[in-house]
Amino acid sequence: MSKTKEVGAVRFAPVILAGGSGTRFWPRSRRARAKQVLTLEGERTMIQETLARLEPLATASDAWVITNAWLHDVIVEQLPKIPEKHVLAEPCARNTAPACALAAFLLEREAPETVLGIFPSDHVVADKKRFTEVIAAGVKLAAAGANIVVLGVKPTRPETGYGYIEQGSSAEGGTDGIHVHRVKSFREKPDMVTAETFLKAGNFAWNSGIFLWSAKTLTAAVREHAPEMAAILEKIAAEYGAKDFAEVFAREYPKCENISVDYAILEQQSAKGEGRSNIYCLPADFGWNDLGSWASLHEHLRDAEEDNVMDGATTGLFAIDASGNYVYAPGKTVALLGVEGLVVVETPDALLITTQERSQDVSKIVRAVHESGREDLI
């Protein structure tokens, strides 16, 4: 393993999670072209942007990517600075707990003190300078003991699509001027009534899915809370770099439970109570956005003067008595007349027309297409 770049005096290795089946942004996204390898804004793909904002903290050669067989080759192509041996394709999807833990067991073998940062590959960050400051502070805190650091986003609405972090008492002193709270509990995605309660309470944050912990801290937590998974992943990690690694990986990894790191580790650890769990929450106050649907992309791209968004290489937009629409139609002139809240996405082989309100349900279309046997559209 190459020498890691240091944050202060701490060795740091980002782990980018890049699985996914390409359903939320269908028809642009497909199994072999999921949203993290698409250019949804600017000139770089989402996974390229993820790596770029981490480079002030770590060299690309120190980063790892956990993905799937459909996306492996395109990710290797898009991220040439990351060693190909650090881009691991899961034999099957097993949610975030096995993916995060696998990286920890791999690093524990050679550098157990290294702090891992877990970063989803499909987030948007507006303030990259603040992102660097917060992550650097979190890395130091994670290295200061058997600490687990999570990043929480201050809610702006009663959102049912995110998990929540219940924040407890303030941690003494903070970290580099960044206010830190102990974590009381993690909550699953709530219904609307519960989400409204969380918002009014004022001490709940959206769970960003960004976590920081040393390799030895995470492996210890997995051994404690998920011992069967730990045994499987230790067996896989022991073969890394050997000729039989691919065979062992393919045979053993599917035996892992299909479970999120939130439920398998964080919820179990937080149940010990504030004083014993050593879980801390830092504010993700750097313009965080999780682009989870066409509606969220529209929200991200629209401006104050025009809330109709014409995306892609369209040749022109004419809108009369129309508002709140998102259109992706490369090479086309688009005319909107008397419509509100539509999502229109055209690709060479498919056309999606839905509403902003129903854009979270695009996966239902993908399921129907799959059931019809049209694998060419998946």
Side-chain angles (χ1 to χ4, degrees):
M1 185 176 65
S2 61
K3 183 181 184 301
T4 57
K5 187 173 183 177
E6 294 185 346
V7 178
V10 180
R11 295 160 63 94
F12 175 55
V15 177
I16 300 172
L17 302 184
S21 55
T23 61
R24 292 187 180 185
F25 283 84
W26 188 90
R28 282 197 67 194
S29 63
R30 307 291 172 97
R31 279 185 300 208
R33 198 170 69 246
K35 66 177 177 177
Q36 54 263 45
V37 299
L38 297 179
T39 303
L40 295 181
E41 67 166 349
E43 297 181 353
R44 291 188 287 210
T45 66
M46 297 197 78
I47 197 168
Q48 288 173 330
E49 286 286 353
T50 301
L51 180 63
R53 62 176 169 264
L54 288 165
E55 286 186 310
L57 297 157
T59 60
S61 61
D62 298 323
W64 294 72
V65 178
I66 311 295
T67 184
N68 56 47
W70 292 100
L71 298 174
H72 177 272
D73 290 351
V74 68
I75 287 175
V76 168
E77 180 182 344
Q78 289 189 3
L79 303 179
K81 293 180 182 179
I82 295 182
E84 186 170 350
K85 64 181 182 179
H86 283 192
V87 182
L88 300 178
E90 296 174 299
C92 60
R94 280 296 178 264
N95 215 314
T96 55
C100 295
L102 175 60
F105 279 107
L106 288 169
L107 281 163
E108 183 192 39
R109 294 178 61 80
E110 295 189 35
E113 303 289 338
T114 299
V115 170
L116 280 74
I118 305 298
F119 299 94
S121 57
D122 54 0
H123 290 175
V124 172
V125 169
D127 188 343
K128 294 177 177 57
K129 180 176 182 294
R130 181 62 174 173
F131 173 85
T132 300
E133 294 170 350
V134 173
I135 298 301
V139 169
K140 293 178 185 178
L141 180 57
N147 297 328
I148 296 173
V149 178
V150 300
L151 270 64
V153 181
K154 185 176 180 179
T156 57
R157 60 185 183 276
E159 174 61 58
T160 61
Y162 300 144
Y164 283 72
I165 301 165
E166 183 183 10
Q167 300 178 95
S169 59
S170 296
E172 293 183 6
T175 301
D176 292 345
I178 297 172
H179 199 68
V180 180
H181 283 91
R182 289 186 174 272
V183 171
K184 291 183 67 175
S185 68
F186 291 84
R187 304 294 185 91
E188 299 295 318
K189 296 175 182 178
D191 57 28
M192 181 56 69
V193 173
T194 305
E196 289 172 346
T197 301
F198 289 169
L199 186 64
K200 291 176 182 176
N203 67 321
F204 284 83
W206 291 335
N207 188 343
S208 71
I210 298 173
F211 311 117
L212 300 158
W213 35 35
S214 70
K216 67 178 185 180
T217 295
L218 179 52
T219 54
V222 177
R223 291 183 179 108
E224 177 182 359
H225 300 300
E228 293 182 2
M229 183 188 300
I232 294 167
L233 296 176
E234 284 189 273
K235 183 183 294 187
I236 294 170
E239 296 298 322
Y240 181 72
K243 64 179 181 178
D244 294 332
F245 174 72
E247 179 184 341
V248 173
F249 193 17
R251 182 181 70 242
E252 298 296 328
Y253 195 77
K255 298 177 183 178
C256 290
E257 184 178 0
N258 188 344
I259 189 170
S260 72
V261 70
D262 307 62
Y263 188 77
I265 305 299
L266 297 176
E267 289 188 18
Q268 311 307 315
Q269 190 75 8
S270 66
K272 296 180 178 181
E274 283 186 57
R276 298 181 60 238
S277 68
N278 285 343
I279 306 180
Y280 299 88
C281 183
L282 269 62
D285 55 356
F286 37 69
W288 175 92
N289 196 339
D290 173 20
L291 297 184
S293 68
W294 288 115
S296 63
L297 181 60
H298 169 264
E299 180 72 21
H300 177 66
L301 294 177
R302 74 178 183 176
D303 58 44
E305 296 180 0
E306 175 57 73
D307 71 350
N308 291 305
V309 173
M310 181 185 67
D311 200 4
T314 48
T315 59
L317 174 68
F318 297 92
I320 299 173
D321 298 329
S323 63
N325 301 289
Y326 173 89
V327 179
Y328 177 87
K332 298 289 177 62
T333 295
V334 176
L336 301 172
L337 176 61
V339 293
E340 294 183 17
L342 291 182
V343 172
V344 180
V345 180
E346 183 185 45
T347 64
D349 60 354
L351 173 64
L352 169 70
I353 303 173
T354 184
T355 63
Q356 300 277 352
E357 187 179 14
R358 295 298 302 274
S359 69
Q360 288 276 8
D361 295 330
V362 170
S363 60
K364 294 180 179 179
I365 293 291
V366 178
R367 191 177 308 121
V369 171
H370 172 69
E371 291 172 353
S372 75
R374 290 296 306 275
E375 293 298 308
D376 58 304
L377 296 175
I378 304 295

